[in-house]
Amino acid sequence: MSGGFITCAGVGKTYTGKGRPVEALQGISLACAEGEFVCLLGLSGCGKSTLLQMIAGLEQPTTGRITVAGQVLDGPSSETSIVFQDHGLFPWMTVRANVEFNMKARRVPPAARRARADDMLALTGLTAFVGSYPHELSGGMRQRVGIARALTTHPRALLMDEPFGALDAQTRGHLQAELLSIWASQRTTVLFVTHSIEEAVFLADRILVFTPRPGRLAAEVMVDMPRPRLPTSPEFAAVAKGLRAMLGSEGGSE
Amino acid sequence: MPRLSRLAGLLPIVALVAAWQLAVSLQLYPPVLLPAPAKVADSFVRWGPTILANAGASVLRVVIGVGLAFAVAVPAGLLIGRYPALDRLTDWSIQAFRSVPPISLIPLAMLFFGIGDTPAIVLIFLSALWPLLLNTIFGVRGIERTLLKVARAARASEALVLRDIILPAALPAIFTGLRLAIGGGWLTVVTAEMIAVKSGLGYMILNAQMTFRTELIFAGIIVIGAIGLVADQSVSRLRARVCRWQEGLLAERE
């Protein structure tokens, strides 16, 4: 595959610990265009998170090659930012310090750090909470902090590892809508891992469906519906039904 | 009434003094062995300057010994906890050395350093070193994996990781180590002063025994206990202050 802001060519991952080696992912090839919103959908254990961690440069593929912005990946790229399901906020830092951390790591001067953090805090509706500690925030608020932090470095791609997986349905709905508006305003590429069919259909331009043991790319579904999408609409239900069939009898909804 | 219920902690002490007074009134022991509480209270006035000077000498030794141990153990512990190679290198030695009671080193300390402050401070240093070192290592190991991933994805320098992530993550455990270190150092100083030093509370008590001033022995023991209590409470308060972010976290996990 050539062209595409993020590409994977024949990417596989085998874990060799004690006992026999476990093949987590096999022969993944994909390309993700700049500005595209792509969901990686699959049941737990299908290796979709592993793939995202590899694209984030946090893990090495056993086989194949990953490129980001035309560069073959060798560790985390400065063009991407990752958001974790368990938010990964530093409990001893205030919201502001957490949001500034990625910039601090890149040696952005304090004044510039502050200004950019203020912008991203405003964008995510956190301005009133700059001085709070993570444990004082709700789950949804914490994940907003994680997203704000990821955005501070002007990433060209946002890598999201089931970011809303631990939230209640209502909060999840709010954050999905907010993410779409952030995505529209920041014009960043989003690679979004989820096990929820509804979430994928609500968010994605394109859905890549994974099957487990070993994780393989089973199908690719374009979601050609205008946003905001209504989960109660017949088109929505039709796409979701098709995906449910691909994921197998175990289903994949909540 | 939280303040009033805290005072309940004084009840056992009040009961002990009452029992003591009863034993004196019943003349279970001759007054020269078991002085009346009033007489001991009186000795605080009579021997005030002596008690104060000796208590000051003991406290100063503990402060220096524990301070030196802190300066060595915390940086060493952060590095050992962070780098598995250092851990493999030092693990057996630490486990072996920490099993040696510092008191058993008094003869060696006297041979090497004579009689005076030096052997006492060396012994306090050794008794404070191990709890500080082990707790620091333990604290670093307990860090949440996602936090290290966040740092790696942000391409944070090792110096930043140690200062902004590893150290604060280990702080609660370091405080636990400090409490144990001060407790151990305080036990060691009194013992060492009975053998290897010519000042301090330990020396004062031993001297009072030889001159048959039992009330001064009692006064010395009371001062030792009181200082131990104050030191422990101070560290505990400092910890609550510095690790404010953690208090909420602990409550939340219950």
Side-chain angles (χ1 to χ4, degrees):
Chain A
M1 287 215 180
S2 66
F5 180 63
I6 294 170
T7 70
C8 296
V11 169
K13 178 78 180 177
T14 305
Y15 289 103
T16 46
K18 289 164 205 148
R20 64 191 171 83
V22 178
E23 195 173 25
L25 272 174
Q26 192 185 70
I28 305 290
S29 291
L30 60 88
C32 186
E34 185 136 37
E36 201 178 8
F37 199 125
V38 176
C39 276
L40 309 181
L41 175 68
L43 305 176
S44 37
C46 71
K48 56 196 192 297
S49 283
T50 305
L51 181 64
L52 197 79
Q53 305 261 332
M54 289 195 289
I55 293 170
L58 294 173
E59 288 200 47
Q60 295 283 324
T62 315
T63 61
R65 215 171 60 136
I66 299 171
T67 69
V68 172
Q71 302 269 14
V72 175
L73 214 56
D74 175 28
S77 159
S78 56
E79 308 280 2
T80 59
S81 279
I82 184 161
V83 178
F84 295 95
Q85 173 172 358
D86 48 353
H87 56 74
L89 300 183
F90 302 110
W92 49 87
M93 292 186 197
T94 59
V95 166
R96 171 177 293 286
N98 265 294
V99 170
E100 288 189 11
F101 181 81
N102 286 8
M103 294 187 282
K104 196 174 178 186
R106 292 184 190 197
R107 301 189 166 83
V108 175
R113 240 156 49 196
R114 210 179 163 79
R116 177 69 180 162
D118 282 337
D119 288 349
M120 292 305 102
L121 287 164
L123 182 74
T124 47
L126 289 167
T127 307
F129 301 93
V130 283
S132 304
Y133 286 90
H135 76 258
E136 299 167 322
L137 304 177
S138 67
M141 282 296 185
R142 284 180 211 171
Q143 205 46 281
R144 283 191 180 89
V145 180
I147 293 169
R149 175 173 65 189
L151 289 170
T152 53
T153 52
H154 302 274
R156 287 167 72 191
L158 211 49
L159 309 175
M160 309 187 80
D161 191 2
E162 302 208 38
F164 309 146
L167 304 177
D168 61 82
Q170 201 178 351
T171 310
R172 174 186 269 229
H174 286 309
L175 278 170
Q176 287 167 349
E178 280 175 41
L179 176 62
L180 285 177
S181 85
I182 288 170
W183 169 64
S185 72
Q186 305 290 306
R187 312 220 144 271
T188 138
T189 309
V190 178
L191 212 54
F192 190 106
V193 167
T194 180
H195 62 265
S196 158
I197 290 174
E198 284 71 24
E199 184 164 67
V201 179
F202 186 76
L203 293 172
D205 291 325
R206 186 155 61 104
I207 299 171
L208 302 174
V209 183
F210 284 72
T211 53
R213 282 175 286 276
R216 258 186 284 226
L217 202 48
E220 180 179 43
V221 175
M222 302 295 297
V223 187
D224 201 9
M225 278 193 278
R227 295 185 178 90
R229 295 170 182 160
L230 226 61
T232 48
S233 73
E235 301 103 294
F236 194 107
V239 178
K241 193 178 171 200
L243 288 167
R244 195 159 290 126
M246 285 175 213
L247 282 175
S249 53
E250 292 147 275
S253 76
E254 293 309 285
Chain B
M1 299 289 265
R3 204 149 261 288
L4 210 64
S5 67
R6 282 305 289 144
L7 290 179
L10 286 174
L11 276 178
I13 296 171
V14 172
L16 189 66
V17 174
W20 174 12
Q21 180 58 54
L22 190 68
V24 171
S25 305
L26 296 174
Q27 299 199 325
L28 292 181
Y29 291 95
V32 74
L33 287 185
L34 187 68
K39 198 171 176 207
V40 173
D42 182 52
S43 75
F44 277 106
V45 182
R46 247 180 89 197
W47 303 98
T50 309
I51 295 173
L52 214 62
N54 284 305
S58 298
V59 168
L60 188 64
R61 285 180 192 121
V62 173
V63 167
I64 295 172
V66 173
L68 289 173
F70 191 89
V72 172
V74 170
L78 294 178
L79 295 174
I80 293 171
R82 172 82 175 141
Y83 304 110
L86 273 181
D87 184 40
R88 281 190 292 274
L89 185 72
T90 55
D91 186 33
W92 288 358
S93 314
I94 292 172
Q95 297 304 334
F97 282 122
R98 77 170 186 119
S99 311
V100 179
I103 307 300
S104 70
L105 297 172
I106 289 182
L108 269 185
M110 286 172 74
L111 285 178
F112 275 78
F113 306 110
I115 292 210
D117 279 328
T118 317
I121 289 170
V122 167
L123 290 169
I124 295 161
F125 171 82
L126 287 174
S127 58
L129 187 68
W130 309 116
L132 272 167
L133 187 62
L134 288 165
N135 277 283
T136 306
I137 295 171
F138 177 76
V140 176
R141 287 218 193 105
I143 188 170
E144 216 183 301
R145 310 297 303 164
T146 309
L147 300 183
L148 295 175
K149 280 189 185 175
V150 169
R152 213 142 53 82
R155 307 202 297 178
S157 70
E158 196 55 28
L160 183 68
V161 171
L162 282 169
R163 198 191 66 206
D164 278 24
I165 302 177
I166 304 281
L167 173 63
L171 260 187
I174 291 174
F175 270 103
T176 305
L178 186 60
R179 260 176 107 166
L180 294 171
I182 290 175
W186 193 234
L187 295 179
T188 305
V189 75
V190 173
T191 317
E193 282 165 354
M194 288 188 169
I195 303 169
V197 201
K198 294 256 173 278
S199 66
L201 290 170
Y203 172 77
M204 185 187 86
I205 289 174
L206 202 69
N207 206 40
Q209 185 219 352
M210 290 173 190
T211 52
F212 241 71
R213 284 191 288 259
T214 338
E215 69 277 9
L216 190 55
I217 298 182
F218 275 79
I221 291 168
I222 291 169
V223 171
I224 289 169
I227 292 177
L229 175 68
V230 169
D232 193 63
Q233 285 294 307
S234 312
V235 176
S236 190
R237 294 235 167 126
L238 187 68
R239 177 191 184 283
R241 196 134 175 220
V242 175
C243 305
R244 228 176 349 168
W245 53 269
Q246 204 211 11
E247 304 303 315
L249 229 59
L250 288 178
E252 186 182 314
R253 275 177 194 165
E254 270 166 23

